[in-house]
Amino acid sequence: MRRSNLLLWGLMLLAGAAGAQGTSTPLASDLIPKPLSCTDKPGAFTITPSVKLHAPSQFKEAANLLAEKLRLSNAIARSSKKASIVFLEADKKDSLGNEGYQLSVAPSKITITASTLKGATNAVFTLLQLQQLQPNMASIPCTDIKDIPRFSYRGMHLDVSRNFMPVNFVKKYLDMMALYKYNTFHWHLTDGPGWRLEIKKYPLLTSKAAFRTHNRWRDWWSSPRKYADEGAPNAYGGYYTQDDAREIVAYAAKLGITVIPEIEMPGHSEEVLAVYPELSCSGVPYKNGEFCIGNPQTYTFLEDVLKEVMAIFPSTYIHVGGDEANIKPWQECPKCQALKKEKGLTNEHELQAYLIKHMEQFLKDNGRKLIGWDEIVDGGLPADATVMSWRGEAGGIKAVQQGHDVVMTPGETYLDAYQSDPTTQPEAIGGFLPLSRVYAYEPVPAALTAEQSKHVMGTQANLWSEYMPTTYQVEYMAYPRAIALAEVAWTAKDKKDYSDFQRRLQHHYRLLQSNNVNYYRPSNSVTIAALPDYERKQNQITLTSEQYKPEIRYTTDGNAPTASSQLYDKPFYTSGKTIVKAAIFKNGEMQGEAACDTTNYHLAIGKPVTFNTLWSDSYPAQKEQTLTNGVKGSLTYHDKQWLGYLKNFDVTVDMESVQPISSVAIRFMQQPGPGVYFPSYVEVQFSEDGKTFTTFKKEVNTTPTNDLLLRFKSFTFDCGNTKTRYIRFIAPNVMRGYMFIDEITVY
């Protein structure tokens, strides 16, 4: 043992003893993902420089990995009698499967039992996670664990095309994946913003297509989208040499992780066609983003690339993308149309499927399998293709019903969405995906039978890097949400419990900190939610926070809360117009700022609405009840409280009798990133008979469409004391995007 390691052990023991004061010691029952069974026991195993490991030949790699991670040199013993950490091969009756394991920690001995190297490696990372949760990392609490994963595919994706990530960070990304039992790294290596893998036969892919003219993706996207020569002063980008990629593949394999490379086709290929324009339908650089399917050179190029890719990546699967291709160039291309006619294809989706089927056969001939995004379903799936369902679950369900394996990865797994109030966060692509929603995701759709559900291989966390220019931002978006999805992918469905997950997660912040992960810190904000009670004609108020079991104090008189204000312990009711203010307190001090919301059980709640124009089928919310159910929409239009419109909005509220009203309002959302806009104006009309309407007032929107922040706007109209029965709202949609409306209020 080197002197530096002896010093390290001393520091671990001292730091652990100091850190443990006043802190509960995490147990095996605090692990994430939650094991199949876990029994905490008294006592602890102490890691010292004298610890020895022993393993049969099939588990040597796992034993060496554990020794390396624990910084134990010369730790492998020839005999199990001299070892305090022992690997054992499981009996068949143990039923541990391909990735299961048993882990027993006693004060004097640790025993790891598995049927395969994968299972033994999973046990190693359970042990390492348990160690890193401790204030004193030299002391591991005693336990007996039996653990088997629910799904065979537990993936994390990383887009390095939009922003290049260095090799050392990719390794760190893999380290964190392994600690949380992810076993597949989906590496998105090619896309319009940059090609990231050295292909020796096509050097322009890295000498030019790997670099662009602008650092910020948004700036490049709004520019002419040109590429730059490697070595140019302002070139931005980078690429992995084949040796770099092999190094990462080998590193991942040691951690029990398979790397699946993604080489985009036939769309998202602007960078390729800028430097090899003869492969596009036009033959002109910077004009097309889709390969020419009718050009034989396309197949030569793709096969050449995949040959070099397969020489680097030993994975069974090769991902070919297949998403978001623009069919217009194929419709206008003589070569594509000639191929379409020759093969008897009826549309361009089948034309794309022709290319995908060709590549599937090529991969199959080379002992590999094709996986692609769910667009590959549209024109007919190749016989042995696997589908990654991202446009919701419909594509995955369709593929399963045709007998194909799928990985379910819809919006609930897209960690590039906002995880907290977007007005408080760095710019992201849009949407709202808090930790609780990630944890609630169920990868097996209810539409599948028990037999069909066997085709659901698992799920995957996706990180697209448009708005992640640095490795720090990638980590900020990934964690702790990736920890939640890890439990979704590993733990048996009936053992999941969000409140228990929250409790366990509190211990994992120490682990993230010790690994220098720039994770998202839970907000001190309080969310005030009002739910109407239709019988009492009052609002039930709920106060929540991202903090675990916070001390929330509130007022209902408009005054700011103090440390002596009412303590929130359960939902409460308000009558009429009430100003609720709430804040988190700790040791008598307010944490952050007080939240404020005005609640009122208004006159339109429960009133019927006539829809003169209908909502989009994609965002029906609560349909006819949405606009007068008294429930405000949250920060996301996925919460089923926001009606989505792609056309002009025109509805009429029937107040059921002529009565005086003092004001009316209607609330909209704007978020230009995903194409959500305010209307150009809102017009309010009144009628007593429901037939003849008179325009009362029109309010023009003044928020610019290039304001990229999430905005909410209530178009409010002071009516004095106008008498009416029918209130009509007209809002034109002129932006070719969505309008989202959550509530009409009348006082």
Side-chain angles (χ1 to χ4, degrees):
M1 176 66 69
R2 294 195 304 273
R3 183 181 180 86
S4 59
N5 276 356
L6 287 168
L7 177 61
L8 173 67
W9 285 110
L11 290 172
M12 282 174 61
L13 288 166
L14 288 171
Q21 294 178 9
T23 303
S24 61
T25 301
L27 302 171
S29 54
D30 296 311
L31 289 163
I32 301 175
K34 189 174 187 177
L36 183 65
S37 68
C38 175
T39 302
D40 293 321
K41 294 191 170 184
F45 178 93
T46 302
I47 303 172
T48 67
S50 63
V51 166
K52 297 292 184 182
L53 293 82
H54 176 76
S57 58
Q58 66 267 39
F59 296 152
K60 287 289 187 185
E61 292 179 36
N64 287 331
L65 174 67
L66 181 58
E68 176 188 328
K69 294 294 184 181
L70 293 178
R71 302 187 184 185
L72 300 170
S73 60
N74 302 315
I76 305 301
R78 292 184 178 181
S79 169
S80 60
K81 294 180 180 179
K82 296 182 180 180
S84 45
I85 300 178
V86 177
F87 289 77
L88 300 175
E89 184 176 4
D91 292 329
K92 290 183 179 180
K93 62 181 176 63
D94 291 326
S95 303
L96 295 178
N98 190 44
E99 292 191 89
Y101 64 90
Q102 289 177 331
L103 172 65
S104 176
V105 179
S108 59
K109 190 173 186 178
I110 293 175
T111 305
I112 291 171
T113 306
S115 299
T116 67
L117 177 60
K118 286 184 178 181
T121 303
N122 284 329
V124 164
F125 281 104
T126 294
L127 190 61
L128 291 171
Q129 185 189 116
L130 189 54
Q131 179 217 9
Q132 292 182 33
L133 290 175
Q134 306 308 312
N136 174 4
M137 285 196 288
S139 181
I140 299 178
C142 293
T143 184
D144 282 332
I145 293 172
K146 181 176 181 179
D147 208 2
I148 299 171
R150 180 184 180 194
F151 293 108
S152 63
Y153 187 107
R154 304 179 303 280
M156 283 191 72
H157 157 284
L158 182 62
D159 164 28
V160 295
S161 171
R162 287 159 181 83
N163 282 293
F164 179 76
M165 306 291 164
V167 169
N168 284 344
F169 174 73
V170 176
K171 288 183 176 180
K172 182 183 178 184
Y173 195 80
L174 292 164
D175 285 334
M176 296 307 299
M177 285 176 58
L179 276 172
Y180 290 101
K181 305 291 197 308
Y182 284 103
N183 65 357
T184 307
F185 175 46
H186 175 178
W187 203 6
H188 188 79
L189 288 162
T190 74
D191 210 315
W195 182 282
R196 302 296 179 216
L197 179 66
E198 178 188 22
I199 302 296
K200 296 184 183 297
K201 192 166 185 178
Y202 298 98
L204 291 178
L205 291 174
T206 45
S207 67
K208 190 173 180 69
F211 297 87
R212 62 179 187 251
T213 54
H214 296 70
N215 292 24
R216 291 179 72 239
W217 173 85
R218 181 180 288 285
D219 293 339
W220 179 79
W221 190 253
S222 59
S223 77
R225 303 181 196 174
K226 295 297 178 70
Y227 302 94
D229 292 325
E230 182 179 12
N234 294 98
Y236 175 80
Y239 60 90
Y240 305 96
T241 66
Q242 294 194 359
D243 285 342
D244 289 337
R246 286 191 177 93
E247 181 182 341
I248 287 170
V249 167
Y251 189 84
K254 187 169 69 172
L255 305 179
I257 295 172
T258 298
V259 182
I260 296 179
E262 181 177 356
I263 306 297
E264 279 276 13
M265 62 182 82
H268 284 289
S269 300
E270 293 87 347
E271 82 285 24
V272 178
L273 303 178
V275 296
Y276 295 106
E278 65 274 15
L279 302 176
S280 69
C281 290
S282 67
V284 178
Y286 298 107
K287 186 172 183 179
N288 299 126
E290 289 72 32
F291 284 103
C292 178
I293 298 178
N295 185 351
Q297 289 179 277
T298 292
Y299 302 88
T300 301
F301 171 84
L302 292 174
E303 290 177 6
D304 287 343
V305 168
L306 291 181
K307 285 175 186 175
E308 294 195 35
V309 168
M310 289 186 289
I312 301 167
F313 298 89
S315 57
T316 299
Y317 283 108
I318 303 293
H319 204 299
V320 298
D323 61 311
E324 297 182 323
N326 179 10
I327 65 173
K328 188 176 179 181
W330 304 332
Q331 290 173 329
E332 299 172 350
C333 173
K335 292 179 182 178
C336 290
Q337 291 305 304
L339 179 65
K340 179 181 166 185
K341 183 177 180 180
E342 177 191 340
K343 300 299 180 181
L345 307 176
T346 59
N347 56 49
E348 277 64 36
H349 295 298
E350 291 185 4
L351 189 64
Q352 174 170 333
Y354 174 83
L355 179 139
I356 297 297
K357 289 175 180 177
H358 178 98
M359 302 316 300
E360 192 260 352
Q361 186 60 51
F362 173 75
L363 291 172
K364 192 174 179 179
D365 291 343
N366 284 272
R368 306 302 181 93
K369 289 185 178 181
L370 179 145
I371 187 170
W373 301 109
D374 59 56
E375 282 91 337
I376 69 173
V377 176
D378 296 343
L381 275 170
D384 296 318
T386 296
V387 171
M388 199 167 268
S389 189
W390 74 280
R391 296 178 300 173
E393 295 181 331
I397 292 171
K398 185 176 179 180
V400 165
Q401 291 171 343
Q402 295 175 12
H404 293 266
D405 290 339
V406 301
V407 175
M408 302 303 291
T409 178
E412 290 88 342
T413 69
Y414 272 64
L415 307 190
D416 50 351
Y418 287 104
Q419 57 196 312
S420 188
D421 182 348
T423 62
T424 68
Q425 296 299 298
E427 185 180 7
I429 197 168
F432 179 60
L433 186 66
L435 184 72
S436 58
R437 188 167 164 231
V438 176
Y439 191 84
Y441 178 58
E442 168 49 45
V444 178
L448 299 181
T449 66
E451 188 63 29
Q452 289 171 336
S453 68
K454 295 176 183 177
H455 285 288
V456 178
M457 297 166 58
T459 188
Q460 173 175 287
N462 293 322
L463 284 101
W464 300 96
S465 67
E466 289 98 329
Y467 302 97
M468 303 178 200
T470 67
T471 59
Y472 301 105
Q473 187 64 11
V474 171
E475 292 179 338
Y476 182 84
M477 299 301 284
Y479 289 95
R481 291 184 293 183
I483 300 176
L485 195 68
E487 184 146 306
V488 171
W490 179 279
T491 301
K493 182 180 178 180
D494 62 355
K495 292 190 174 295
K496 285 178 56 189
D497 179 271
Y498 185 62
S499 61
D500 182 58
F501 171 78
Q502 283 185 300
R503 178 193 64 76
R504 286 176 284 134
L505 182 62
Q506 306 314 302
H507 295 291
H508 288 253
Y509 293 122
R510 178 191 302 277
L511 183 154
L512 294 172
Q513 291 163 13
S514 66
N515 283 282
N516 297 311
V517 174
N518 182 41
Y519 64 92
Y520 166 77
R521 274 70 177 173
S523 169
N524 281 311
S525 298
V526 175
T527 298
I528 303 171
L531 187 68
D533 186 314
Y534 301 121
E535 292 184 3
R536 298 174 59 156
K537 295 193 181 301
Q538 293 180 312
N539 280 320
Q540 184 187 66
I541 309 301
T542 303
L543 307 180
T544 57
S545 168
E546 294 174 5
Q547 295 291 337
Y548 180 65
K549 293 186 176 181
E551 177 189 330
I552 300 177
R553 296 189 177 271
Y554 69 93
T555 63
T556 57
D557 58 5
N559 291 320
T562 67
S564 59
S565 295
Q566 180 69 41
L567 177 67
Y568 177 78
D569 58 359
K570 62 182 179 181
F572 59 93
Y573 287 90
T574 60
S575 300
K577 185 177 181 180
T578 306
I579 300 175
V580 179
K581 293 186 177 182
I584 293 175
F585 285 82
K586 188 174 183 180
N587 299 324
E589 294 186 2
M590 184 185 295
Q591 307 296 300
E593 298 180 355
C596 177
D597 193 25
T598 301
T599 67
N600 202 337
Y601 195 93
H602 61 85
L603 299 175
I605 290 178
K607 295 297 188 287
V609 179
T610 299
F611 286 81
N612 306 311
T613 57
L614 284 179
W615 54 84
S616 164
D617 289 340
S618 299
Y619 296 98
Q622 304 301 313
K623 298 184 177 179
E624 289 86 355
Q625 283 72 45
T626 305
L627 300 178
T628 56
N629 65 0
V631 181
K632 270 187 176 180
S634 68
L635 295 168
T636 173
Y637 47 78
H638 292 291
D639 66 358
K640 297 185 179 180
Q641 292 298 337
W642 290 93
L643 268 181
Y645 266 75
L646 283 170
K647 59 178 72 171
N648 293 338
F649 174 80
D650 185 348
V651 304
T652 302
V653 180
D654 181 2
M655 299 300 293
E656 298 183 319
S657 66
V658 176
Q659 56 186 285
I661 59 172
S662 60
S663 70
V664 300
I666 184 167
R667 186 167 176 253
F668 290 80
M669 170 192 290
Q670 177 163 296
Q671 193 171 19
V676 179
Y677 300 95
F678 290 145
S680 56
Y681 66 84
V682 174
E683 180 179 343
V684 171
Q685 299 179 351
F686 293 147
S687 172
E688 292 191 3
D689 61 7
K691 297 177 182 179
T692 304
F693 285 84
T694 302
T695 297
F696 172 72
K697 195 176 289 184
K698 180 189 294 186
E699 183 179 344
V700 176
N701 172 49
T702 57
T703 305
T705 57
N706 60 0
D707 179 349
L708 299 176
L709 296 178
L710 172 67
R711 302 286 187 188
F712 300 95
K713 181 178 178 64
S714 289
F715 290 78
T716 304
F717 301 83
D718 184 355
C719 305
N721 205 27
T722 302
K723 290 186 176 182
T724 190
R725 173 173 174 174
Y726 298 94
I727 308 170
R728 185 177 183 182
F729 295 84
I730 299 172
N733 183 351
V734 296
M735 290 303 299
R736 297 183 181 178
Y738 273 100
M739 293 192 306
F740 282 101
I741 311 97
D742 72 334
E743 188 72 6
I744 289 171
T745 55
V746 179
Y747 298 111

